[in-house]
Amino acid sequence: MDMDKELVEVMAANTEWKGSPDQMWQRVEDEIRRRRRRKWQVPAWGVAAAAVLIAVVGTRMLSPGETLDTNPPPVASGEQVEQPPVFAPPSTGATNARAFTPYNTLPGFIAYHKTIFVGQVTDEKEIEIPPTEDQWQTYQASLTPPPPDHPKAKSWTPPEPPKPTPAKLFTIKVTDGIKGIASGETVTVQQLNVTYANAGPEPVLRVGEKYMLFPRKSAAGLYQVGAPYVALGDDNRLHVVSLPISFERSAEGPGYLRELHGADIGEGMTKLRFAVRAETAIGAALAKVGLHGVEGEAVSAAGVPFDVANFPRFVGSQPGCVSVGTSGRVIASYESSVWPKSGGVNEVKMTRRVKLEGNDHETTWTFQVNPNGSVDGPVRTGTDLEVSRCAPVR
Amino acid sequence: MDEQEVIKKCQSGDLRAFEPLFRAHLQMAVRTAYLIVRDWSIAEDAAQEAFVRAYASIRSFRTGQPFAPWLYRIVVNEAKRLAARANRVTTVSVMPEDLMAADEQIPEEAVACQERKRVLWSAIHALNEDHRAVVVLKYFNHFSETEIATVLALPQTTVKSRLYTARQRLAERLAHWKEAMP
């Protein structure tokens, strides 16, 4: 019997519940009623405070000759009544926050490179996106201190909880229609503000500029945008859910990629868009893996990195942070480099995606890289590694 | 029972309308919670609390969408919350007697088959909570990967990755057991 069928059988056979549905319903019903009563109960001090407030406000509102029966002035003809915004920022715990939760949120992507245009951004506004489930899980996992005999035990301090991610909402007027979105229609996209080392925020979308929407839909209902990666939300609006990683080597030299942009397009696929500075041995290397010419794009299947000689591998990343003190043997190592734009501060941040033997998750760590390009310690497959400093990629 | 109609009644405040919805999903909810927390009493508490919370937030449910993934998101979250609070030590449940059949004369192949199931059951429990949750939702609740992503509020790629890793680990346990067999 194959394992899938065995799993179904084993779990079904071992989970016979012998409880009483009637008793359970009674408990549930009682609890619901109890919470309803508690919700509507106002404590005595609350009633008193409300009475005082009403008295104060009522006294201030009324002046001689006025009564509470005065109606507000009617809206003058032609005057616009202010409509609530299409997207109001969700308050903490608000159940409509789901409308703002993008699919596959991957905070921490940086920069972009706009391409061709079919829609023009007409408006932008700022909102806050709560931390993702993964961020909370990582945070909660990292609350566990290292064992007392660990060398880092004395210096360990609990990490800060994840902060909400700022994002912007952009309204895009579609000028060339695509499948599912007609010309003239406006769509709203949500973009995550991202920053990277010493370069400041780099908004992906700008009012007045145009962006292309690829009519490419994966099984998850995701569309790929020329710059950000959008998803059609439950509210039938497009939400930017991830941004391509883009890095540009500031150092000139033969054989280096001038620009490299990747985007996780779902289903374990990564789309790589690149431009090569000059025809060099790199061109030949690129040709070996199907990347042709000076500019182009290629798609890598899940788990297959772009194995280009002398280039960083890019398999897509899910930035995160691992607890200080985590250690293990590096099983696989992928790296992507972020270099400051020319004219920026001479400090770079290298992000490595490593998988540790014995750990459940593949995580991305950030290491400081010295200006001359060396890393604080080698990180290669087989290296024993311990996290001594960790900062989430923002 | 037209589930969506029942939900609309619940959304208008009719508590009695919630009962058929509750009874339709109760068994699977308790069993799902048990597979995650591995303790029947905690599983019952988790399921009870999940239904209370589901009713409390039923107005946030968008009619027209499937109800099960929405409900099981609450069930799984409650199960994990109570499990964390109970701070359980990993235990493995003994397999029920009908699968053990110790008193009968059993052919050798059947013994091996039962033992394999025992190993698999043990291996499921040995998975960490994240991997166990995706395995339970796929093979017990028969949710699609998209639905699992909704239940766990995870990207679909993460669901795929966890399922892949979980299956690998289960297969490794079975392989080790097979190698160790005389």
Side-chain angles (χ1 to χ4, degrees), chain A residues 1-22 24-25 27-29 31-33 35-36 39 95-96 98-99 104-106 133-134 137 219-220 234-235 264 266-269 318 355 358-361, chain B residues 13-15 18-19 22-23 26-27 30-31 34-35 40 44 47-49 51-53 55 60 62 73 80 94-96 99 116-117 120-121 124 128 130-131 135-136 139-140 142 146 152-158 160 162 167 169-171 174:
Chain A
M1 189 189 293
D2 75 4
M3 195 173 74
D4 284 5
K5 287 183 186 162
E6 279 184 301
L7 283 168
V8 171
E9 199 179 283
V10 162
M11 280 196 276
N14 282 278
T15 56
E16 187 190 340
W17 181 55
K18 294 179 177 152
S20 163
D22 292 335
M24 182 75 95
W25 170 245
R27 291 204 294 267
V28 166
E29 188 183 27
E31 185 59 22
I32 289 172
R33 292 192 193 284
R35 292 189 193 185
R36 262 182 178 173
K39 185 180 168 187
T95 53
N96 68 347
R98 192 159 62 105
N104 298 341
T105 301
L106 295 172
E133 183 65 30
D134 275 354
Q137 286 185 7
D234 290 340
D235 51 5
D264 187 346
E267 297 174 337
M269 309 274 282
Q318 191 156 358
K355 183 174 177 179
N359 275 279
D360 293 326
H361 307 289
Chain B
D14 186 350
L15 176 53
F18 189 58
E19 185 177 351
F22 164 84
R23 287 183 186 273
L26 173 64
Q27 274 276 346
V30 178
R31 294 164 77 186
Y34 169 71
L35 282 165
W40 280 113
E44 286 184 2
Q48 177 185 324
E49 182 61 23
F51 279 108
V52 171
R53 285 182 186 242
Y55 183 79
S60 72
R62 291 178 192 228
R73 185 166 174 172
K80 286 182 174 181
V94 176
M95 289 189 77
L99 277 180
R116 185 182 157 94
K117 287 179 180 170
L120 189 57
W121 178 242
I124 292 168
N128 71 27
D130 289 341
H131 290 124
V135 166
V136 167
Y139 294 104
F140 183 67
H142 304 290
T146 307
L152 298 177
L154 290 173
Q156 202 169 337
T157 47
T158 303
K160 280 182 194 289
R162 287 185 185 178
R167 291 186 84 256
R169 292 205 176 142
L170 294 173
L174 286 173

Side-chain angles (χ1 to χ4, degrees), chain A residues 26-164:
Chain A
Q26 197 58 58
R27 291 204 294 267
V28 166
E29 188 183 27
D30 289 347
E31 185 59 22
I32 289 172
R33 292 192 193 284
R34 188 184 70 79
R35 292 189 193 185
R36 262 182 178 173
R37 282 193 299 271
R38 193 173 67 187
K39 185 180 168 187
W40 292 110
Q41 274 172 357
V42 180
W45 65 262
V47 173
V52 168
L53 186 64
I54 289 168
V56 168
V57 170
T59 303
R60 287 191 178 178
M61 281 174 68
L62 289 175
S63 57
E66 280 189 16
T67 69
L68 284 174
D69 292 333
T70 303
N71 289 325
V75 173
S77 60
E79 181 180 329
Q80 287 284 340
V81 175
E82 187 182 344
Q83 297 293 335
V86 173
F87 279 89
S91 54
T92 305
T95 53
N96 68 347
R98 192 159 62 105
F100 303 92
T101 305
Y103 292 89
N104 298 341
T105 301
L106 295 172
F109 281 80
I110 40 153
Y112 79 108
H113 211 78
K114 59 180 188 284
T115 53
I116 321 168
F117 317 108
V118 290
Q120 186 171 34
V121 178
T122 57
D123 188 28
E124 70 173 73
K125 58 183 88 161
E126 229 170 56
I127 63 167
E128 219 171 56
I129 300 175
T132 64
E133 183 65 30
D134 275 354
Q135 286 176 309
W136 277 115
Q137 286 185 7
T138 302
Y139 166 66
Q140 282 160 2
S142 63
L143 287 176
T144 307
D149 55 350
H150 193 278
K152 300 294 175 185
K154 285 183 183 169
S155 60
W156 179 86
T157 53
E160 291 290 318
K163 295 193 171 83

Side-chain angles (χ1 to χ4, degrees), chain B residues 98-117:
Chain B
D98 56 356
L99 277 180
M100 289 171 68
D103 293 334
E104 297 176 12
Q105 285 285 350
I106 309 165
E108 199 174 310
E109 302 83 37
V111 169
C113 181
Q114 285 176 4
E115 185 58 26
R116 185 182 157 94
K117 287 179 180 170

Side-chain angles (χ1 to χ4, degrees), chain A residues 103-104 178-181 213-225 229-234 236-238 264-267 269 271, chain B residues 146 156:
Chain A
Y103 292 89
N104 298 341
I178 61 167
K179 185 178 174 182
I181 304 176
L213 303 170
F214 289 96
R216 180 171 173 170
K217 192 172 178 181
S218 72
L222 301 168
Y223 289 84
Q224 182 172 4
V225 183
Y229 182 28
V230 296
L232 197 61
D234 290 340
N236 287 324
R237 299 283 177 170
L238 286 178
D264 187 346
I265 58 174
E267 297 174 337
M269 309 274 282
K271 181 163 181 171
Chain B
T146 307
Q156 202 169 337

Side-chain angles (χ1 to χ4, degrees), chain A residues 289-311:
Chain A
V289 293
L291 304 177
H292 304 288
V294 176
E295 284 189 4
E297 48 187 53
V299 177
S300 162
V304 177
F306 287 106
D307 192 5
V308 179
N310 298 326
F311 281 89

